[in-house]
Amino acid sequence: DAGITQSPRHKVTETGTPVTLRCHQTENHRYMYWYRQDPGHGLRLIHYSYGVKDTDKGEVSDGYSVSRSKTEDFLLTLESATSSQTSVYFCAISLGLAGETQYFGPGTRLLVL
Amino acid sequence: KQEVTQIPAALSVPEGENLVLNCSFTDSAIYNLQWFRQDPGKGLTSLLLIQSSQREQTSGRLNASLDKSSGRSTLYIAASQPGDSATYLCAVLSGGSYIPTFGRGTSLIVHP
């Protein structure tokens, strides 16, 4: 398995609070991604990174920000959590942006009350 | 906008059957297509990646084919086993985009 960890694995928070999810990789892959998975929508890309300090928006980026200060860490922040952000969040990595296999982390279950 | 559909949404088969999972996409200008497996409460595991120039890929009992002109990919599982029970997802990366489009998956149960 690719060396990808996510923390926390489970979190319950209240509406309006900030939340930060962390993705850590030991594979030295250049590209990192944050997805959310919801029933009825499947997996949707939130943000991705193509290098340290280089990030771009995905399909559902509103309400989320990301940062990547080191190759191995990609942080996803919900500035002010809302109930619509209750979801399972997955981090993924790949060697290349296109044409390369994506490897996924175990996921973080977030419940916003 | 690329749309990816997986049919059937759920499938239950007895052990030993050969089975086919389908993935269709609306825009044939794709870069690649990837098949994943997801076990309950787990992340996705990549099974096969097919580049747009390829027709098929094989790994063990799995064979994935790609027909861009018809907008279809199939995942063939030979001699299914209870351990194959999982949700299978396909993801399409369209030409000119770095945002993959995922199907909603086929939930497979293989019973002994």
Side-chain angles (χ1 to χ4, degrees):
Chain A
D1 291 343
I4 310 171
T5 57
Q6 293 184 232
S7 58
R9 294 293 313 282
H10 303 271
K11 186 169 182 66
V12 180
T13 191
E14 294 186 348
T15 298
T17 60
V19 176
T20 295
L21 308 182
R22 179 181 183 236
C23 177
H24 178 77
Q25 60 145 330
T26 58
E27 306 296 321
N28 201 34
H29 282 22
R30 178 179 176 185
Y31 298 92
M32 299 185 75
Y33 313 80
W34 277 108
Y35 292 90
R36 60 178 290 174
Q37 185 175 38
D38 306 285
H41 287 280
L43 270 151
R44 293 177 291 175
L45 183 66
I46 305 171
H47 281 280
Y48 66 97
S49 169
Y50 46 96
V52 174
K53 296 189 183 343
D54 293 322
T55 65
D56 206 348
K57 296 179 179 180
E59 183 183 356
V60 289
S61 59
D62 287 348
Y64 301 95
S65 63
V66 290
S67 66
R68 192 170 177 198
S69 59
K70 297 185 292 185
T71 298
E72 59 266 35
D73 290 326
F74 193 30
L75 304 180
L76 177 71
T77 297
L78 291 65
E79 302 290 347
S80 177
T82 67
S83 58
S84 65
Q85 293 175 311
T86 291
S87 186
V88 181
Y89 291 86
F90 288 101
C91 173
I93 64 173
S94 67
L95 275 171
L97 194 56
E100 298 286 344
T101 297
Q102 286 198 358
Y103 300 95
F104 280 75
T108 293
R109 292 187 175 274
L110 177 66
L111 174 61
V112 183
L113 300 175
Chain B
K1 178 183 175 184
Q2 181 73 269
E3 293 182 4
V4 177
T5 303
Q6 292 188 245
I7 294 174
L11 186 62
S12 180
V13 300
E15 182 177 5
E17 274 202 9
N18 301 323
L19 50 97
V20 174
L21 307 182
N22 297 294
C23 173
S24 61
F25 44 94
T26 55
D27 184 350
S28 61
I30 69 169
Y31 200 91
N32 61 45
L33 184 146
Q34 193 163 359
W35 282 94
F36 293 89
R37 167 187 173 135
Q38 185 175 27
D39 294 290
K42 305 289 186 181
L44 280 69
T45 300
S46 178
L47 297 174
L48 292 162
L49 173 68
I50 311 177
Q51 304 294 351
S52 63
S53 59
Q54 297 174 321
R55 297 282 298 188
E56 66 179 313
Q57 284 281 357
T58 298
S59 176
R61 295 183 293 109
L62 305 179
N63 175 275
S65 65
L66 175 64
D67 184 345
K68 285 195 308 179
S69 61
S70 66
R72 293 177 56 187
S73 176
T74 60
L75 179 67
Y76 176 82
I77 303 177
S80 59
Q81 304 170 359
D84 295 330
S85 299
T87 297
Y88 291 81
L89 299 102
C90 68
V92 174
L93 189 64
S94 301
S97 170
Y98 297 131
I99 301 176
T101 303
F102 281 79
R104 296 183 184 181
T106 294
S107 177
L108 172 66
I109 296 176
V110 181
H111 49 87

